[in-house]
Amino acid sequence: MAILITGLTAFMAGLDNLVVLVALPTIRDDLGGSLEDLEWTVNAYTLSFAMLMMFGASLGDRFGRRRMFIVGLLVFTAASAGAAVAPGIGELIAARVIQGVGAAIIMPLSLTLLTHAVPAAKRGAALGIYSAVSGLSIAGGPLVGGIVTEHISWHWIFWINVPVGLLLVPAAWRALAESHGPNDRLDVPGTVLSGLGILGLVYGLIRAGGHDGWGAPLVAGPLAAGTVLLVLFVLWEQRSRAPMLPMRMFRNRAFSAVNAGALLMAFGMYGVVFLITQFMQTIQHMSPTEAGVRMLAWTAMPLLIAPVAGILSDRIGGRPVAVFGLAMLAAGFAYWALVMSPDASYLEQLPGYLLGGVGVACFFAPLFNLTMSSVDPAEQGIASGANSAARELGAPLGVTVLTTVFTHNGGYASGQNFVDGFKPALWIGAAAMATAAVVMLFASRTTPAGQEEPDSGEPALEAAVPVPTATR
């Protein structure tokens, strides 16, 4: 039951990362707004998600993981209803911010609650199911968004969260055991510094990608302020008695590699998905459903490949599988950059979709086990929050940077103008995936028993180490 509840929650939160992308042209026609407004429709969710992820894990440690998990579900569900009835683009962006707050609470706690609910001997299988369900949200996002937008209304891509959330709340209360973390102090200064620092950087990048130049006050000011605030965050965390993210964890090579790889992967993937959906509907004039169906070659691939990738991870370790996946994503984006044209047929584009789908499946299948095995059991809640935050931060950064590259080299004036901007953005996405593959070579290699091999630069973490017992 714990796998079902936490998996459905991860699916719902993950779905809202991608479900809105295919609906963006329709939302623009209905509510208006510029390209920058459309970016914020995506980034508002992922930014608040990333900014508050570790704080959400800390709230669970302090006030109870099950209790805060339910609070997060209620916030997410209410915000989804608010997004569905939004009368304008500004109200939609505001609702997406609150959605991200709820997701920031439920996502790290769902993984921690599942880890504590499953015996160590079965934890690898449980995490594999959890990762498969998370992958399903990637597969379902564009398709669900396209079908619902075209045949019902874009409002229903948010309404569908409401009944699911309302069913999960009582189920979580009955089926999940309450537990607390070892650190019961909240790092409010750290949360403020990191959140405002991330916001400053991303806002400055978005302004730079719009009509402002890099030297404009609304670009240089936020970028400089964001950088200073993040430096202050690091200094504060080093001195704090109860840090939200202990900086010593980054001395663990495996932990640093897994988080850097996750950030770079999300950077490239979400940036490319944002643009490819625009290309399919704006340049090739596909309906939302047609775009979602054609993307199944990429997004549904994890359903077929993830089980195989999971078996390979058990046999040869998670690291080589993740590295292979990132290499496939890099190859897929590079292929698109070579063949893309305004009238490129679907068959011409298909190899890129297939390579991307294999890549996503092979990366996500071992990711959660690599993350949890890179730290001591007492710090798995923090590790879960940090890795989720890295991925959610990578998403808006990728959308922002790749859109900036796109607008500086092309635009919507014509099909060729779009492709002129899209190709260099694809090369940036491919470079991000290749860099992530190199970085992940330093991640720990998990074995079937769930222990970390000593090639990570840190002592091996034995699977027999007991996880603190949850209490009701």
Side-chain angles (χ1 to χ4, degrees):
M1 192 63 177
I3 297 175
L4 177 63
I5 293 170
T6 57
L8 280 175
T9 302
F11 173 83
M12 185 169 63
L15 190 72
D16 271 58
N17 266 330
L18 287 175
V19 72
V20 72
L21 289 176
V22 178
L24 288 178
T26 305
I27 292 174
R28 180 175 58 187
D29 292 340
D30 193 6
L31 301 182
S34 63
L35 179 62
E36 182 178 327
D37 293 325
L38 294 182
E39 285 185 66
W40 276 111
T41 303
V42 178
N43 290 341
Y45 178 76
T46 51
L47 260 179
S48 58
F49 201 164
M51 288 163 55
L52 298 173
M53 190 83 68
M54 286 176 290
F55 188 63
S58 299
L59 287 173
D61 287 350
R62 172 66 178 84
F63 297 108
R65 290 163 177 155
R66 182 184 63 176
R67 181 180 294 110
M68 293 310 304
F69 179 78
I70 290 172
V71 169
L73 273 172
L74 291 171
V75 171
F76 183 87
T77 302
S80 296
V85 299
I89 193 71
E91 291 83 357
L92 177 59
I93 292 171
R96 293 281 284 170
V97 170
I98 301 172
Q99 262 193 313
V101 173
I105 299 172
I106 59 180
M107 275 300 285
L109 296 182
S110 67
L111 189 55
T112 308
L113 286 166
L114 176 59
T115 302
H116 285 198
V118 179
K122 299 180 180 180
R123 196 167 296 136
L127 291 172
I129 296 172
Y130 181 92
S131 65
V133 174
S134 298
L136 182 62
S137 69
I138 298 174
L143 181 59
V144 171
I147 293 175
V148 171
T149 298
E150 183 174 357
H151 297 289
I152 306 177
S153 167
W154 66 263
H155 303 83
W156 279 92
I157 65 177
F158 301 112
W159 276 127
I160 58 177
N161 292 328
V162 176
V164 177
L166 293 177
L167 288 173
L168 284 173
V169 167
W173 182 260
R174 288 194 300 266
L176 298 178
E178 185 62 280
S179 65
H180 295 76
N183 184 5
D184 62 356
R185 297 184 179 182
L186 297 179
D187 184 10
V188 176
T191 301
V192 173
L193 288 171
S194 63
L196 292 179
I198 292 170
L199 179 62
L201 288 180
V202 175
Y203 180 79
L205 288 170
I206 290 176
R207 297 293 304 190
H211 300 292
D212 299 324
W214 286 97
L218 287 178
V219 174
L223 289 176
T227 302
V228 171
L229 287 169
L230 289 179
V231 170
L232 292 175
F233 167 71
V234 172
L235 294 175
W236 169 261
E237 295 297 281
Q238 290 175 334
R239 299 183 59 183
S240 174
R241 295 173 58 187
M244 178 176 65
L245 179 61
M247 291 295 110
R248 58 174 174 74
M249 294 178 69
F250 289 98
R251 293 198 294 267
N252 180 333
R253 188 178 67 187
F255 178 79
S256 295
V258 169
N259 283 285
L263 186 148
L264 288 166
M265 186 273 181
F267 175 97
M269 186 183 74
Y270 284 101
V272 169
V273 170
F274 180 82
L275 290 172
I276 194 70
T277 55
Q278 302 293 305
F279 173 77
M280 295 169 79
Q281 294 182 71
T282 303
I283 304 304
Q284 298 204 318
H285 308 292
M286 297 180 190
S287 69
T289 300
E290 288 174 328
V293 169
R294 282 166 172 74
M295 287 191 72
L296 280 176
W298 178 3
T299 56
M301 192 62 66
L303 300 179
L304 302 176
I305 302 299
V308 178
I311 294 171
L312 284 175
S313 298
D314 287 340
R315 293 183 177 178
I316 66 175
R319 180 178 59 187
V321 177
V323 170
F324 174 78
L326 291 164
M328 291 300 96
L329 279 161
F333 293 168
Y335 172 83
W336 271 343
L338 292 172
V339 305
M340 195 62 68
S341 67
D343 56 354
S345 69
Y346 182 64
L347 286 178
E348 287 180 276
Q349 301 173 45
L350 184 58
Y353 287 108
L354 295 175
L355 288 169
V358 171
V360 169
C362 290
F363 178 78
F364 276 109
L367 177 64
F368 297 115
N369 211 12
L370 284 168
T371 301
M372 302 307 261
S373 66
S374 69
V375 298
D376 186 82
E379 295 178 325
Q380 286 180 340
I382 298 173
S384 170
N387 189 260
S388 297
R391 285 182 282 119
E392 295 307 321
L393 176 59
L397 286 174
V399 171
T400 299
V401 172
L402 267 63
T403 301
T404 300
V405 173
F406 166 79
T407 55
H408 277 274
N409 292 276
Y412 289 90
S414 66
Q416 187 58 51
N417 185 238
F418 190 102
V419 170
D420 289 342
F422 192 21
K423 284 190 173 184
L426 283 168
W427 283 118
I428 297 295
M433 294 302 181
T435 304
V438 173
V439 168
M440 287 295 290
L441 289 172
F442 296 94
S444 59
R445 179 181 176 181
T446 53
T447 66
Q451 67 187 46
E452 180 184 343
E453 293 184 356
D455 63 354
S456 67
E458 294 292 320
L461 176 64
E462 299 295 334
V465 175
V467 176
T469 303
T471 57
R472 283 194 184 274

